[in-house]
Amino acid sequence: MDYTLDTIGQAVSLLRLRGEDAESLHHAAQQVKHRYVGDEVYLRGLVEYSNLCRKNCHYCGIRSGNTSQERYTLSREEVLQAADYAYKSGFGSLVLQSGERQDEAFVSDIESLLQEIMQRTGGELGITLSLGEQTPRTYARWKKAGALRYLLRIETSSPELYARIHPADHVFQTRLDCLRALRDTGYQVGSGVMIGLPFQDEEQLARDLFFLKEMDVDMVGMGPYIPHEQTPLWRERARLLPPAELYALCLNAWAVLRLLMPDINIAATTALGTLHPQGREAALRIAANVIMPNITPFSARSRYVLYPHKICIEKSADDLLPHLEALIHAAGCRLAYHKQGNSRHFRTPAQYSE
Ligand code: SAH
Ligand code: SF4
């Protein structure tokens, strides 16, 4: 089988493979993964800081328009406890994720949390932010306070599809501008898309994967779209792929991405584990080298519902590491304790302009 990936058409053919042909594709991606990033899996403890969101994306359960969702924001102490847990347990990194807010109180709370975590861990815990669209000035403040990486999914690289799954005041170009600002600020930049959105065909997904390559991102977090009943996109659910088809498409997408971008960090996301019980393990075997276990305080987890039936809601902190060890081992990989696991693909802004 030829795995040349110069054109969208070639990527589409690979995304369509099934059965033994898909297995060969996965095997090829696995070899590329081992050659470029090895068999270590980096841990990022995920802290879901708040489900308050100023935006109203048509697919997301914590959109501002979902009035049936009770809202919360973690206290400073709760975040610091989670960071301490991550640091002491040997997680090299932490991800702070949240609904989007741009007010000064939010910006300065995050800034001060970053400073405090940096201080407590002697700068050893690598911090990734996933806090949506912000001004270049805010990105710079958070970078200065200690954040290393930023995750901002483009969601879809098609401006038309983007407009269909967002309200009119959510602008595709703004998202692109934010990704560029993040790069210019010196972050390791992560992006990604949802797979299996209504109106997204395989060709669009192939374009999405090429978009990530063109944007030269350092990290990718992508995942299946999972419909949420209290959102406008729910009404399009008849257009969705059957779960088994979606799962096969996802695994091929992970493989194609690894072939396209051999040295980036790729996450085995919770949404993939929600779609299929072995989803994260399969992604790690084929292409992924990062996992983001949820370490949000238990009282808040059931309220951070981007999509329904999210896994890991009930696992206790004590169970977490043995469970992860087993999962990573089953994928033929090794858990990398005490390592930040920065993207090997990353170049500083100065290196970009060389
Ligand atoms: N507010 C920030 C971060 C939190 S949302 C932001 O939007 O960037 C994190 C990710 O959750 C989004 O980027 C989106 O890709 C994903 N998400 C939201 N709703 C989803 C759904 N119904 N199915 C799958 N993923 C979803
Ligand atoms: Fe808010 Fe992010 Fe959900 Fe959009 S995807 S509604 S920005 S939390």
Side-chain angles (χ1 to χ4, degrees):
M1 182 67 199
D2 178 15
Y3 296 119
T4 311
L5 263 167
D6 296 326
T7 64
I8 303 287
Q10 286 162 338
V12 170
S13 311
L14 297 187
L15 290 173
R16 289 194 176 138
L17 295 177
R18 294 293 180 270
E20 283 178 12
D21 292 337
E23 277 170 31
S24 306
L25 168 69
H26 301 169
H27 186 66
Q30 184 184 35
Q31 285 181 324
V32 169
K33 176 194 146 168
H34 281 265
R35 192 166 341 123
Y36 285 84
V37 298
D39 64 354
E40 285 189 326
V41 176
Y42 303 118
L43 292 179
R44 280 95 172 85
L46 175 65
V47 180
E48 296 158 337
Y49 177 60
S50 172
N51 68 354
L52 278 169
C53 189
R54 60 190 279 276
K55 300 193 83 185
N56 213 4
C57 307
H58 290 334
Y59 42 83
C60 177
I62 65 171
R63 66 199 301 270
S64 55
N66 183 5
T67 48
S68 58
Q69 177 63 64
E70 222 187 297
R71 305 286 163 166
Y72 75 92
T73 299
L74 296 182
S75 68
R76 182 179 169 84
E77 218 29 64
E78 284 175 313
V79 177
L80 295 176
Q81 267 171 21
D84 287 345
Y85 166 80
Y87 183 58
K88 289 190 185 121
S89 312
F91 287 39
S93 295
L94 188 80
V95 181
L96 261 188
Q97 192 181 76
S98 173
E100 188 176 300
R101 275 177 57 192
Q102 297 180 332
D103 51 284
E104 176 56 29
F106 178 80
V107 173
S108 63
D109 283 349
I110 297 290
E111 184 176 41
S112 128
L113 277 169
L114 288 166
Q115 287 161 343
E116 177 71 27
I117 297 170
M118 284 288 105
Q119 215 216 329
R120 284 178 178 222
T121 66
E124 282 178 25
L125 198 62
I127 305 183
T128 305
L129 299 179
S130 175
L131 306 172
E133 295 167 19
Q134 304 289 342
T135 62
R137 192 178 125 71
T138 298
Y139 289 144
R141 271 173 74 179
W142 291 342
K143 179 83 184 34
K144 187 157 176 254
L148 277 182
R149 323 182 184 103
Y150 206 103
L151 269 175
L152 184 74
R153 290 185 178 177
I154 192 72
E155 315 296 0
T156 169
S157 65
S158 153
E160 295 76 31
L161 181 52
Y162 191 91
R164 240 172 154 155
I165 63 171
H166 293 98
D169 61 347
H170 294 30
V171 182
F172 182 76
Q173 186 59 43
T174 309
R175 206 95 182 148
L176 281 183
D177 292 344
C178 284
L179 285 170
R180 299 217 167 91
L182 287 164
R183 156 116 317 134
D184 293 344
T185 314
Y187 283 94
Q188 291 170 52
V189 178
S191 194
V193 295
M194 284 180 282
I195 300 175
L197 283 165
F199 313 106
Q200 174 208 57
D201 56 13
E202 286 142 340
E203 185 176 327
Q204 181 51 49
L205 178 57
R207 288 187 192 284
D208 291 342
L209 299 173
F210 272 79
F211 168 90
L212 295 169
K213 185 175 166 70
E214 274 150 33
M215 290 297 286
D216 202 27
V217 295
D218 305 300
M219 337 178 277
V220 170
M222 54 189 188
Y225 160 65
I226 300 174
H228 187 298
E229 202 168 344
Q230 267 95 41
T231 63
L233 212 56
W234 174 256
R235 62 173 172 256
E236 304 293 350
R237 66 195 181 284
R239 297 178 188 276
L240 301 179
L241 292 171
E245 255 310 292
L246 176 57
Y247 184 55
L249 181 62
C250 282
L251 296 189
N252 289 356
W254 255 262
V256 170
L257 180 68
R258 179 55 78 191
L259 294 177
L260 276 174
M261 304 194 74
D263 61 351
I264 62 167
N265 279 349
I266 303 179
T269 49
T270 308
L272 187 63
T274 302
L275 176 67
H276 191 286
Q278 261 87 54
R280 290 187 300 177
E281 182 188 316
L284 289 173
R285 188 175 318 106
I286 296 168
N289 65 330
V290 165
I291 193 160
M292 295 163 56
N294 195 341
I295 58 165
T296 307
F298 283 93
S299 55
R301 286 193 200 186
S302 55
R303 284 178 284 167
Y304 196 81
V305 189
L306 306 173
Y307 51 83
H309 312 300
K310 209 166 98 193
I311 50 164
C312 291
I313 287 185
E314 61 293 324
K315 237 171 220 87
S316 82
D318 293 341
D319 286 349
L320 187 60
L321 277 174
H323 175 80
L324 285 169
E325 286 262 14
L327 189 156
I328 290 166
H329 185 73
C333 302
R334 284 183 300 135
L335 199 160
Y337 284 108
H338 299 286
K339 287 195 185 171
Q340 285 190 344
N342 293 307
S343 172
R344 294 180 191 200
H345 189 77
F346 177 64
R347 286 180 285 157
T348 62
Q351 285 170 309
Y352 261 94
S353 54
E354 270 166 18

